[in-house]
Each structure stands twice: as C-alpha cells, then as structure tokens.
Amino acid sequence: MMAKRSATPEASAPQGTRPGHAELRQFIKSWQAGRDMGKHLTAIEYVPARQASYGPLPEGLDKRLTQMLRSRGFGSLYTHQSDAIEHALAGRNAVVVTPTASGKSLCYNLPVLDALFRGKSALYLFPTKALSQDQTSELNELIKLTPGSDASWEAQVYDGDTPPDVRRRIRQHGRLIITNPDMLHAALLPHHDKWASFFKNLAYIVVDELHTYRGVFGSHVANVLRRLRRICAHYGVNPTFVSTSATIANPRELATNLTGLPFELVDNNGAPACERYVCFLNPPILNVEQMRRQSALSVAGRITRDLLKRDCGVIVFARSRQSVEILVHKLKERLARDRDAGNLADRVSSYRGGYLPELRRSIEKGLRDGFIKGVISTNALELGIDIGSLDVCILAGYPGTIASTWQQIGRAGRQGGTSLAVIVASDDPVDQFIINHPEYFLGRSPEEARIDPTNLLIAVEHLKCACFELAWIDGEAYSDMTATDTTEALEFLASQMGIVQRSGNRWTWCAQTYPAAEINLRNIAEENFVVIDLSAKTPNVLAEVDFESAHLTLYPNAVYQVSGEPYRVERLDYEARRAYVRRSNDGYYTTAMHYVAVRMLDTFREREARAAKIGFGEVCITQRFVGYKKIKFGTGENVGYGELNLPELDLHTMAYWLELPTKRFDSPGPATDPTASPDGWPRTIHGLGQVLKTAASLKLMCDPRDLALCIGSVSQDQWLTEGFQGLTIRDSDGLEHSLTAEATPTVGPVLFDPHVFLYDRYPGGVGFGEGLFDHHDAFLALARELVEGCPCKSGCPSCVGPPDLALRPIKADVAQLLARLTDPPHPKGRGGGA
C-alpha cells in the first residue's frame, strides 16, 4: 500500500505553462490514482513550491557592478547571495550551502569581479574539467556585461587539455585562472615562481562543489590547499576563500578541515523552487520463488519512453557506466521502432566519464539548446554543469547517499512549473530498505563528509612537495603537524631517503626527482587505456578508460559500449595501454568475473565478541580476474562464458573483520556446524556477509560502493566467489573447489575459521573499518533486524541473497547464526564466546 507521507495535492496545470508540463501533470495524476506504474509506488512526497526571499545589493560592491545588475533588472539579490557577498567583501571566508540551481555562482563571481576593478586576481578550483569549462563560459558572459572590464579579465582554463602556447600566455597575463586541484598540485605550486605576478595579487580562492572533496581525495586536497596558503604567504597575500557545497551535514567543518581556516556558514537559501513530486517506486516481482523484481533499468527505460513522448525533458541517473550504455542502447532501439516517437531516438544521448572532451561538450550543448530531450548519465552530471531545462529526474537505483540523491533530484525542474523525481529501487538490499522505509530517507539529514588531512602517509608526501616549492625553516610547522614532528619528518627524509638536506636552519630539496609527479590525488593510475576504433578506414581514438576500470571493460573479446553502440575488443595491448575495437552486432554485452583475496598486514585492535572474534587493521586486497559472461541484450539471458588472464591489482587499505572460529560452532544444524553440511556452511556465511554489508552501509550512512566484502578462510587461503556455475571457492592459485569438497586431516572442511572482511575501497582507508569495529554490536543488531523483518520466506536479493531452488534455503540459518552473534552468551552453553 502506498504510504503518502504528506498531502499530495492533485496535479493541475496553471495557465501559460510550456508544452510538456500539462502532460506531466496528467502523468502524475494517473500515478496518484494508482494506474500503470503508480500501483508500485510505496510513497509520494509532495514538496511545495518555494517563493524567493531577497536581500539588498551589498553597499561595498563596486558601483559599476551594481549599475550592471540594476540595468538587468536586479535591484536585489537572493538572501544567501547577499549574505555571502557581504562576508567575502569583508574578507571573511564563507561556505554557501544551498540546493542545485539556486544561483551559488554569483556568490563568488561578484566579489571576484569587484576585486578585478582593484587590479587583483582570483583562482577557481573545480573538481572536474567539464565543470571548469561550463563555469568559464558563464563567467566570461558576465564579464562581457560588466562596464569597465577589459581583455585582461578573461577567465581562462588551465588544465591538462590546455595547449602549451596558451599555457605560457596564461602564466604571464592571466588574472582569472580556472583549474582543478590536480593541476594546482602538479603544475602551479611547484612552479609558483612563473606565476609570481598572479600570486602577488591573489585576492580570492573559489572552491566549488566542496562536498566532493571527501575521503582520501579530500585529504590530499586539504594538504594541497595548505601548500597553496604557504605560497600565498611567501608572496605576502592572504586571500579569502569562498566555497559552495551541496547539502551535507557538516559543510563548515569540512571547509575548515580542507583549508585550516575558520568559515562563515551561509545556508539561508533565498532562491525560488518549483513544486516537486518525489515518488518511491518498487518494481513488480517477476519471480515469486526467488523474490526477483523487474530491473530498475527496465522500469526506468519504460517511464522515460512514456515521458519523452509526452514532450518532457528527462534525465536518468544510472549506477554504472555499463548500465548507462545498456539503457541508452535499449531506449534508442525501442524509440526507433515506435511510429509515434518521431525523431526522439536521435534526441536521446548518454553521458559518462571516459568520453572524449569533444563528445561531452557536444552533449552538454545539445542539452542547453534543447535538442537533446533525454539523457542517461552516471553521477557525472550530478555536479552543477548547465544542462538546460529538464522536467523529470529518474534514479535507476538508489545513488548510495541521501546527499547525492537530493543533488540528482535537483537537476530537474529548473524552469518553474512542476517537476517529477522517481527513485526506482533495484534488488540491492540498501535500495529495498530505502524504498520500503521512505521515512528513513525523508527523515534523515544528509551524511557528513569526512577527511583526515593529518594522515601521516599523506601529510609526509605533501611535506616533500612543500619542501620542493620553498625551503623549510627550522621551527616551521607543516599543516596540522607540530614543529617537532615536522622536523623529525624532515630528518627522516634527509637521513633515510636522501631527498632533502639541511643548511643552517634551512631545509632544501636536493633530489633529482619531482615529488608532485609521484602523488596522484585521486589514487588512480596515471596511464589511462586508449580505445581505438578499427571500424573506420582510418583508426581513430574512441574513448579513454581509467586503469582500474579497463580490467573490467577492455579485456579481449569484451563488448565495450559508447553512446549505446557496442564494440568488441579484438586486441588488448596491456603494456602500451591500448585496446583495439570494432563495431559488434553480436547482440550481447559482457560482464567481467573477478574475486578478491585478503592478506592481513597489521592488526590494530581486536577483541572477543560473543561467539566470534572481531578485528580492525591494515590489509592488502588482491583482485583477480578469472572470466566473463555474455549477456543478451533485451532479455538479460546468459549466453556464454570466456576466460581471462589479466594481471592482478593490489589495494592497501583498512578493514573490519568478523572471525567465526570453527570449534565454537559445533552444535547441530547447517548454520552452526561446518561439518554437518559442507555446502550449507559456506552458503550461510555468504548470506551473512551480504546482510552485514547492507547493515554497515546503513549504520555508517555511506555509499554502499565505498565498502567492499570479502569472505574466506585466512588459514587455508580459500575465498568465496561467484564462479561460472554460481557460488564456489577459489584458492591462492585461482583454482576452483566445490563447496562440498571432502574435509582432509591437513586442511579441514572448506572455510575453516572463516573471516568476513568489510574493507574501505580507498587506498589507506577513510575510517569505515574502524567505525564498524567501534559500533559492532549496533550494526550486527541492525543486520539481524533486516533478516528477521524481510517478508520473504527463503531468502531474497533484499536480505541474504536469492535462494537456489536446488539447495536448502539459508535464510533461517543466517537468522540463527545472527542470533548466536547478538544474543547474550549463556554461562554454561556450548560455543559461548566472550
């Protein structure tokens, strides 16, 4: 039954709405009445329109700017714009937190233009190249409207795509520099002497999309910004920071942690907003026995087709690049066959990372111009790139965090009227929890963004860079380190590595190496794989794929998709980082099969936990690639397999683990006796791992993709994995073993003393593993609640995984095992734990 959390007024069209809005209201009305997909809604949340609230034009703003604003009909600003500009003009650092399309860019652009009248300069930092290009165009349009501006005001992008001759001109004459943290780290700071004129006049540093700087990436950027402040001090300036962010729980704290400076928080949003309907949709069950639902992609595609034919602009967010390509391929194919769809098949596009810049920019232009009516995207369009007027946002799967969900929802409804957002759940357990408990989503504040700039490994790497940039003086402290700790670190770099030297009270860089080149802020391998299309007469570059993703998408005989067009990989030159592809009409796509093994490097904390042991520490995760599946377009049918032979990938990170000592589980029953049912024990542990990962994501309020699961026997070096024929066990050599393998005197039963590892998917970790150790009891209790509260009988994708009809169901066994792990121990019971 639909749970309407708030009054949802019947959608009715006001006079003068543009084409598509009336159709959209009729569509919403039909769902409210329970027709079509409306009968699968679990909730509709109505968000009423919001009126604008205004503040005065700041008195300190240059009169030429106020003249320009008034001439264009702006006698006032939104309240948040007015307050943010007041702070900036007074030299107070400010972080602005308001929804998408609320005019945040004016909060920093007006103070910057004011500074240009006084001969100053400004540095803009954006997290992506696409956003840099988009914001540069907007800023230059504003400059053209400003009386008294000249050619030296031109905002210029300085990134990896900037030609060498243009770079020289920007270094010599640029006053408005648009770049990203990576270029600031590797190009501007190490060569600050070539930018002396720019730095001497630096008045403002703009950090846009602040919420993206979290985890290891954010910790690196925090150190880069501290190095930037040190360079500024060298040139005698103390620039003001203006930051903007999507709604997160701790924006002021994050801004302070990133820069080491105090901030004023501006969150009094004055921008108007159209009314919005947010629908929670759980696809229909197709397989009652296995509780499998229609795929979120299929449902999203169906809704998108319907709304495009109603003249609505639609954006669909999918969870992966492959999902984007599958959906756009299917959507174009069906629209092309639909006689009533006109040329809509040509007005649908995909958008994701890996596309060449020219293709991305043409898609962005098509969206702004209105030619592209539907776009299927990864979260690459979640940030503030101008994508014109869209009416509907469809999320094909829960994005993973509350903050990202609202950010994506805000990408539609920019032009007033009515907008619709539809969250379509997948079979993923977190999706199912959110869709069946919309009050959890609607009642929670967004997540916190966490960084650790004091991480010793990261801080020392940037200390090297800082020493390269400017000589270090005794008694000078780096970042959040004490002066004593800084000196000790420098002494280590001098005595053990020979890369710095001391002369009097100064430390200088003495190595031939270039330290910034050895630090990748995003922890991604430097060398992307280039995809070369052999279909044309002259081979041409089709796309670029990052190093890690290439192992999952560009192996020999893989089907790689671009804008919905499939290409088969004919040859992979791994050493040269090149994949040669040709157009494919095979009618299927491929998905890689891989598994991980864990090597425990160091145990930081451990303790007994009833019938189990838990620990937290440093691990090395080895990812091994063993094969791929061929999946038929349209039906999703598995039509074949292939083997893979690619190099392994290692990740050093932090993990929480739950160890289940075999000797403690000797009472009858598959859930508690590894020897009574050899295949039941591994399957039960696998089901336990699935629900623990779900509970961990909910407990930590993190994106499920930030955590990964690995189950295995450390003592036997055996690891559970999905094999060609389902669940299997692989050893250190990658060989498969049956779950029903006979126990041996030397090895014992399969999965002897199994470990369930939940590890951070970021090098070095960002604190998830330690958080699970600290909150072990609460998150295991949540896991038990998820299993016992799931309405399925034998297990399903939403709890312990779908049942195998040929084998004994494991849901009851997992529930029994969780009871052993959460109930207070019996003083005289068997296997009692601590």
Side-chain angles (χ1 to χ4, degrees):
M1 175 175 289
M2 188 189 308
K4 296 183 180 178
R5 285 181 39 85
S6 60
T8 51
E10 190 173 285
S12 59
Q15 298 297 316
T17 57
R18 72 171 183 79
H21 276 184
E23 289 274 10
L24 178 58
R25 289 185 174 89
Q26 285 299 319
F27 181 87
I28 294 170
K29 246 175 116 174
S30 72
W31 274 21
Q32 288 175 321
R35 291 193 289 272
D36 194 42
M37 296 304 291
K39 58 180 169 285
H40 300 294
L41 298 180
T42 61
I44 296 179
E45 175 78 358
Y46 175 67
V47 182
R50 184 180 60 247
Q51 299 300 312
S53 58
Y54 298 98
L57 294 175
E59 292 184 3
L61 203 59
D62 190 281
K63 300 305 179 187
R64 285 162 286 191
L65 286 174
T66 58
Q67 173 192 336
M68 181 268 289
L69 291 168
R70 288 198 169 100
S71 69
R72 299 187 62 78
F74 295 98
S76 58
L77 298 170
Y78 296 141
T79 50
H80 65 277
Q81 293 173 332
S82 179
D83 288 353
I85 294 168
E86 286 277 11
H87 286 309
L89 293 176
R92 296 187 294 269
N93 305 307
V95 55
V96 184
V97 185
T98 55
T100 306
S102 56
K104 287 194 287 282
S105 60
L106 214 58
C107 296
Y108 48 74
N109 283 338
L110 287 179
V112 165
L113 295 183
D114 180 89
L116 291 179
F117 279 119
R118 295 181 278 110
K120 301 298 183 180
S121 59
L123 175 69
Y124 285 64
L125 294 177
F126 294 100
T128 66
K129 292 180 181 178
L131 196 54
S132 296
Q133 292 286 343
D134 182 73
Q135 294 295 312
T136 301
S137 300
E138 179 182 324
L139 179 54
N140 281 328
E141 287 298 318
L142 186 61
I143 289 172
K144 288 178 184 177
L145 299 171
T146 304
S149 62
D150 59 47
S152 71
W153 287 33
E154 181 188 3
Q156 301 176 85
V157 175
Y158 192 91
D159 63 21
D161 295 334
T162 307
D165 58 326
V166 178
R167 290 190 184 196
R168 283 191 295 273
R169 177 169 56 82
I170 293 174
R171 283 197 298 267
Q172 293 168 4
H173 307 293
R175 295 177 64 193
L176 281 186
I177 307 301
I178 316 291
T179 189
N180 52 62
D182 311 83
M183 285 295 287
L184 175 64
H185 156 70
L188 273 73
L189 296 183
H191 306 292
H192 59 86
D193 53 327
K194 296 179 181 179
W195 296 84
S197 175
F198 173 78
F199 280 118
K200 286 177 182 177
N201 293 289
L202 187 59
Y204 288 103
I205 298 171
V206 174
V207 183
D208 195 37
E209 305 290 356
L210 187 81
H211 61 283
T212 62
Y213 301 117
R214 61 180 189 174
V216 173
F217 177 44
S219 302
H220 275 294
V221 172
N223 279 273
V224 173
L225 293 179
R226 283 158 171 76
R227 287 162 47 203
L228 170 61
R229 288 179 53 211
R230 184 169 180 256
I231 295 295
C232 289
H234 174 72
Y235 288 101
V237 295
N238 183 25
T240 300
F241 281 82
V242 183
S243 298
T244 66
S245 173
T247 304
I248 54 176
N250 61 332
R252 180 157 42 192
E253 178 189 3
L254 177 62
T256 294
N257 287 341
L258 275 168
T259 62
L261 295 169
F263 271 75
E264 300 292 335
L265 175 63
V266 179
D267 58 358
N268 55 335
N269 178 30
C274 65
E275 66 175 0
R276 174 175 284 121
Y277 292 83
V278 182
C279 298
F280 294 76
L281 193 154
N282 208 8
I285 295 174
L286 300 180
N287 185 321
V288 177
E289 289 182 323
Q290 294 195 335
M291 289 289 286
R292 285 198 180 275
R293 298 180 179 273
Q294 187 176 3
S295 78
L297 284 181
S298 177
V299 172
R302 176 179 167 181
I303 299 170
T304 302
R305 288 197 310 275
D306 192 351
L307 288 167
L308 287 174
K309 290 167 66 176
R310 293 172 184 256
D311 200 25
C312 297
V314 182
I315 182 170
V316 180
F317 284 101
R319 294 291 301 276
S320 68
R321 295 179 180 183
Q322 187 174 64
S323 295
V324 165
E325 297 294 352
I326 292 169
L327 182 51
V328 79
H329 176 92
K330 187 183 298 184
L331 193 57
K332 282 175 170 286
E333 191 177 65
R334 296 196 176 178
L335 287 171
R337 293 201 306 258
D338 190 334
R339 295 180 180 179
D340 299 326
N343 70 335
L344 280 175
D346 298 326
R347 301 182 68 183
V348 172
S349 180
S350 52
Y351 189 99
R352 62 172 178 80
Y355 286 177
L356 297 178
E358 296 79 9
L359 177 58
R360 288 200 309 270
R361 287 165 196 163
S362 70
I363 296 168
E364 292 161 13
K365 183 177 185 298
L367 284 164
R368 287 193 297 271
D369 296 345
F371 175 76
I372 293 178
K373 293 287 291 182
V375 61
I376 319 300
S377 177
T378 57
N379 61 1
L381 281 181
E382 182 181 311
L383 302 181
I385 300 169
D386 183 6
I387 56 175
S389 175
L390 296 170
D391 309 296
V392 180
C393 175
I394 301 172
L395 281 58
Y398 177 60
T401 66
I402 294 170
S404 287
T405 303
W406 284 116
Q407 183 81 348
Q408 292 181 11
I409 286 173
R411 299 303 273 153
R414 288 180 170 230
Q415 300 298 317
T418 298
S419 74
L420 172 67
V422 186
I423 303 172
V424 184
S426 71
D427 275 333
D428 182 88
V430 174
D431 285 39
Q432 285 300 307
F433 181 87
I434 294 294
I435 216 70
N436 287 301
H437 299 84
E439 70 283 354
Y440 173 92
F441 171 81
L442 296 166
R444 290 279 184 126
S445 63
E447 299 80 5
E448 294 185 344
R450 293 293 180 192
I451 62 171
D452 182 14
T454 63
N455 179 301
L456 190 58
L457 293 176
I458 293 175
V460 169
E461 289 299 308
H462 287 276
L463 175 60
K464 295 179 187 176
C465 297
C467 205
F468 177 92
E469 292 153 6
L470 289 171
W472 208 269
I473 308 300
D474 264 346
E476 182 183 358
Y478 173 70
S479 182
D480 295 44
M481 297 168 65
T482 65
T484 301
D485 289 341
T486 302
T487 300
E488 288 179 357
L490 289 168
E491 288 173 345
F492 172 81
L493 297 178
S495 62
Q496 300 299 315
M497 303 184 70
I499 55 179
V500 299
Q501 63 184 10
R502 186 173 188 170
S503 177
N505 68 338
R506 293 163 57 89
W507 297 84
T508 56
W509 186 261
C510 62
Q512 298 298 313
T513 56
Y514 176 54
E518 299 175 0
I519 305 172
N520 192 302
L521 304 187
R522 302 173 197 256
N523 287 290
I524 298 172
E526 291 287 345
E527 295 180 280
N528 288 346
F529 280 71
V530 178
V531 182
I532 299 174
D533 180 16
L534 301 176
S535 306
K537 291 182 180 179
T538 303
N540 63 288
V541 175
L542 189 67
E544 285 192 22
V545 179
D546 66 84
F547 182 79
E548 185 173 355
S549 296
H551 292 72
L552 301 173
T553 56
L554 293 179
Y555 43 86
N557 292 313
V559 174
Y560 181 77
Q561 299 180 75
V562 177
S563 298
E565 291 292 332
Y567 295 80
R568 190 181 335 108
V569 178
E570 291 194 348
R571 182 166 66 90
L572 176 66
D573 187 337
Y574 192 90
E575 297 302 322
R577 305 291 193 258
R578 291 172 178 263
Y580 297 90
V581 304
R582 198 179 297 274
R583 281 186 181 270
S584 165
N585 294 311
D586 295 328
Y588 63 81
Y589 61 94
T590 54
T591 180
M593 299 169 62
H594 56 107
Y595 76 101
V596 297
V598 179
R599 184 158 49 93
M600 299 168 68
L601 302 178
D602 197 358
T603 300
F604 298 148
R605 298 166 66 188
E606 61 181 343
R607 68 176 175 87
E608 297 285 338
R610 297 192 172 90
K613 296 179 181 179
I614 62 171
F616 159 68
E618 184 180 0
V619 296
C620 175
I621 307 294
T622 299
Q623 190 172 190
R624 296 164 179 157
F625 305 89
V626 295
Y628 61 90
K629 297 179 183 179
K630 301 175 182 178
I631 311 296
K632 191 173 182 179
F633 281 118
T635 66
E637 178 187 358
N638 189 340
V639 294
Y641 301 94
E643 294 187 355
L644 284 182
N645 183 23
L646 292 176
E648 298 175 346
L649 296 181
D650 284 344
L651 167 69
H652 286 257
T653 186
M654 301 296 173
Y656 154 93
W657 58 81
L658 174 76
E659 180 186 354
L660 303 173
T662 300
K663 64 182 180 181
R664 298 185 183 179
F665 295 88
D666 56 359
S667 57
T672 55
D673 187 356
T675 61
S677 176
D679 71 311
W681 176 245
R683 290 193 302 112
T684 298
I685 303 303
H686 182 260
L688 173 69
Q690 302 305 309
V691 74
L692 287 183
K693 184 174 183 294
T694 304
S697 300
L698 293 170
K699 180 64 185 174
L700 296 172
M701 290 185 69
C702 71
D703 189 328
R705 291 170 293 185
D706 291 341
L707 279 173
L709 169 71
C710 180
I711 300 172
S713 170
V714 174
S715 61
Q716 295 171 302
D717 201 5
Q718 294 180 338
W719 306 97
L720 270 181
T721 180
E722 291 285 343
F724 289 112
Q725 303 300 327
L727 196 62
T728 186
I729 285 180
R730 290 185 182 271
D731 60 25
S732 57
D733 296 321
L735 299 176
E736 283 190 284
H737 297 274
S738 167
L739 296 185
T740 58
E742 292 288 333
T744 68
T746 55
V747 178
V750 292
L751 284 193
F752 184 82
D753 288 350
H755 285 65
V756 178
F757 291 93
L758 287 167
Y759 60 89
D760 295 17
R761 293 189 64 187
Y762 299 97
V766 291
F768 295 140
E770 188 170 17
L772 292 176
F773 184 92
D774 289 338
H775 301 286
H776 166 81
D777 292 340
F779 113 82
L780 243 66
L782 177 57
R784 182 177 179 179
E785 179 184 332
L786 290 172
V787 175
E788 294 177 349
C790 186
C792 71
K793 293 181 179 179
S794 304
C796 70
S798 302
C799 58
V800 300
D804 186 328
L805 300 181
L807 297 171
R808 169 192 166 93
I810 62 166
K811 182 181 179 181
D813 298 337
V814 174
Q816 183 184 350
L817 182 53
L818 280 166
R820 285 282 304 275
L821 297 172
T822 55
D823 284 341
H826 299 291
K828 296 183 180 180
R830 299 183 69 184

